[in-house]
Amino acid sequence: MAAPRFEHPSAAPLTLLLPDLDGGEPGYWLRHWIDSRIDCRLVDLGQARRPDRNSLVTRLDHALRRLDAPVILVGHGVGALTIAAWAGLMSSESEAAVAGALLIAPGDPAAADADPRLSDFAPLPSEVFSFPALLVASDDDPALSPDRAFSLARQWGAGFARFGACGHFAPADGLGWWPEGEELLDRFIDLVEPGRVRAQAQDGLDRLAQSLPPRDRGSSSPLFRP
């Protein structure tokens, strides 16, 4: 197994956030996390009208190679597909820096009504990730049914969590800053801390997913910040 590239694996991890298509809209929770958390950084995926899978994978790989710390990946929509594609294409040396990944509402380019901009991501990788992962889905996501989301989670060896009626977790779905998602990120980071055995981390993620209460868009939360 390849050794981590960073010198201090016990250091606090950094979180790289990969946005969805049209990720520049106001009120996007991912942008809020970047602005409010010192441990979060944006991976610029560009604004291509039809994203090129290999180009996005290369952007992610370059971002990882510039860091000397353990990394948590969080991808939303096409950002989640980029993480999955990267995991299937990159070497184990590149993957050694990743402590875990959160995949928020990945699209399904094979769906009959899929966004045509996702076509370059088909077919989706079938390999099990070499790092712990958790796929987060919504009960009413027009881009990905819960059954298909569960199937992808198992295909990639990831845990699976459902968040009630949250649409595609986009600004238009009314999640605001999505405090429940930020709480999930913090709990995820604790579970996949550097040095933890992958099987132990994945088992913890499965228990975490089962413990999450269903949350609908617009629901109140003690973590909400106006």
Side-chain angles (χ1 to χ4, degrees), residues 68-109:
D68 186 29
V71 175
I72 303 294
L73 297 175
V74 178
H76 174 218
V78 76
L81 293 181
T82 299
I83 293 171
W86 173 85
L89 292 171
M90 292 295 106
S91 68
S92 58
E93 179 182 356
S94 298
E95 293 177 342
V98 177
L102 274 177
L103 309 173
I104 314 296
D108 183 7

Side-chain angles (χ1 to χ4, degrees), residues 96-120:
V98 177
L102 274 177
L103 309 173
I104 314 296
D108 183 7
D113 55 350
D115 188 326
R117 294 177 294 177
L118 302 181
S119 61
D120 200 47

Side-chain angles (χ1 to χ4, degrees), residues 39-50:
D39 62 339
C40 288
R41 299 183 186 179
L42 175 70
V43 177
D44 184 5
L45 297 181
Q47 299 295 325
R49 298 182 66 179
R50 185 181 292 271

Side-chain angles (χ1 to χ4, degrees), residues 1-215:
M1 179 178 296
R5 289 185 293 103
F6 40 84
E7 295 180 359
H8 306 291
S10 61
L14 292 173
T15 300
L16 293 184
L17 303 179
L18 290 76
D20 195 9
L21 298 168
D22 310 316
E25 297 179 27
Y28 189 13
W29 53 266
L30 185 145
R31 298 282 176 173
H32 168 69
W33 293 5
I34 292 168
D35 292 340
S36 63
R37 298 178 60 116
I38 61 173
D39 62 339
C40 288
R41 299 183 186 179
L42 175 70
V43 177
D44 184 5
L45 297 181
Q47 299 295 325
R49 298 182 66 179
R50 185 181 292 271
D52 176 77
R53 180 196 64 182
N54 291 344
S55 175
L56 269 57
V57 166
T58 299
R59 285 173 179 259
L60 171 56
D61 198 58
H62 285 174
L64 284 166
R65 291 178 182 275
R66 286 195 293 266
L67 299 176
D68 186 29
V71 175
I72 303 294
L73 297 175
V74 178
H76 174 218
V78 76
L81 293 181
T82 299
I83 293 171
W86 173 85
L89 292 171
M90 292 295 106
S91 68
S92 58
E93 179 182 356
S94 298
E95 293 177 342
V98 177
L102 274 177
L103 309 173
I104 314 296
D108 183 7
D113 55 350
D115 188 326
R117 294 177 294 177
L118 302 181
S119 61
D120 200 47
F121 285 89
L124 293 177
S126 58
E127 296 85 0
V128 172
F129 297 168
S130 64
F131 44 82
L134 182 68
L135 193 153
V136 178
S138 168
D139 286 338
D140 62 348
D141 186 348
L144 187 72
S145 71
D147 287 345
R148 176 59 171 156
F150 180 79
S151 176
L152 286 177
R154 289 299 173 254
Q155 179 173 313
W156 295 332
F160 177 68
R162 291 173 68 168
F163 257 83
C166 295
H168 190 57
F169 299 90
D173 293 310
L175 294 181
W177 293 345
W178 196 30
E180 293 86 6
E182 189 171 0
E183 180 181 359
L184 175 63
L185 172 62
D186 288 332
R187 295 171 69 182
F188 182 84
I189 291 172
D190 289 341
L191 282 171
V192 299
E193 60 181 327
R196 186 183 293 270
V197 176
R198 185 195 189 284
Q200 294 176 340
Q202 196 64 61
D203 182 60
L205 293 180
D206 288 337
R207 292 197 303 271
L208 169 61
Q210 294 169 6
S211 72
L212 292 173
R215 295 279 188 175

